[in-house]
Amino acid sequence: ALELRVDPRAYISLDSDEREVLFLRFGLSDGRARSMKEIARTLGVTHADARELLGRAIEKVRTRVALEA
């Protein structure tokens, strides 16, 4: 199982939708990873929009982690 260990401060730069899609996709709050279809339905956006939000969120976290390293 993939375990994501990131300093919680890395999420500060995310807006609420980006944070939610990241937490849903990787099951960060409840241990249950969601499909992009489930995420899109939950957020009320298209599959493509959900995928774009996830990409932005991952890039922001990656950038923040790299800056703090």
Side-chain angles (χ1 to χ4, degrees):
L2 174 65
E3 188 172 325
L4 187 61
R5 291 178 190 237
V6 177
D7 186 326
R9 292 175 293 182
Y11 304 119
I12 291 170
S13 62
L14 302 178
D15 67 32
S16 61
D17 284 341
E18 291 167 343
R19 190 176 305 110
E20 186 169 4
V21 74
L22 194 67
F23 274 62
L24 290 169
R25 183 64 174 158
F26 296 105
L28 298 177
S29 57
D30 63 4
R32 181 177 162 259
R34 287 3 181 250
S35 70
M36 293 307 295
K37 185 177 180 178
E38 289 176 291
I39 293 168
R41 192 176 24 228
T42 298
L43 296 177
V45 298
T46 65
H47 184 275
D49 288 340
R51 195 172 52 245
E52 183 180 325
L53 278 168
L54 179 62
R56 274 200 323 253
I58 290 172
E59 188 57 36
K60 284 183 179 182
V61 169
R62 224 183 245 148
T63 300
R64 179 93 183 191
V65 169
L67 291 174
E68 292 178 0

